[in-house]
Amino acid sequence: ILVLLTTLGVFRDGLHVIMEGSPKNVSYAAVKTDLEAIGGVMMAHSLHMWSLTMGKSALAIHLVVEPDSADEQQKVLAAAQRIAREKYGMTNTTIQVEVYHRDMDSCVMCQDPSD
């Protein structure tokens, strides 16, 4: 019985990783809010977070910068990577910085997911 009980926890954690579940104890809203708070960032969209292993997580996101801050893209990228790594423990990140254009206001792909 002891082996069965301890195995269930390991099985549950393994299933979470296999199903690419979001990292435990990381809030989607908090990550998005923190990345949108970076200077020059107008909005963040297409945020995806998933567990690679029990100790490693990945993040992919698009950050939209103001047209007049396009020359600051490398600073925005560095700040976003630092936040993802240091604050949220993301070991793998894919961050795309893009310049704002009006079509983004009505873009279905730029909207937050609905629960």
Side-chain angles (χ1 to χ4, degrees):
I1 292 179
L2 179 63
V3 172
L4 180 61
L5 293 176
T6 57
T7 303
L8 288 176
V10 172
F11 178 75
R12 185 185 65 233
D13 290 344
L15 187 60
H16 182 80
V17 170
I18 290 170
M19 297 302 294
E20 295 184 348
S22 61
K24 295 179 178 181
N25 303 320
V26 177
S27 164
Y28 178 97
V31 172
K32 188 169 188 256
T33 298
D34 285 346
L35 294 175
E36 287 179 329
I38 296 170
V41 173
M42 293 179 65
M43 65 184 271
H45 66 91
S46 301
L47 172 59
H48 303 281
M49 300 182 296
W50 63 99
S51 298
L52 299 172
T53 67
M54 288 313 298
K56 293 184 178 183
S57 301
L59 171 142
I61 191 165
H62 293 207
L63 299 177
V64 180
V65 296
E66 299 166 354
D68 59 344
S69 66
D71 57 337
E72 301 290 318
Q73 288 184 12
Q74 288 302 315
K75 290 179 184 178
V76 167
L77 178 60
Q81 288 172 331
R82 188 170 42 258
I83 289 169
R85 183 179 54 255
E86 294 175 6
K87 186 167 184 181
Y88 295 103
M90 298 293 171
T91 54
N92 295 62
T93 60
T94 302
I95 301 169
Q96 180 175 331
V97 180
E98 49 196 28
V99 178
Y100 171 80
H101 55 85
R102 284 181 287 182
D103 294 342
M104 291 178 173
D105 292 334
S106 60
C107 173
V108 175
M109 300 301 294
C110 300
Q111 306 304 314
D112 283 336
S114 57
D115 291 331

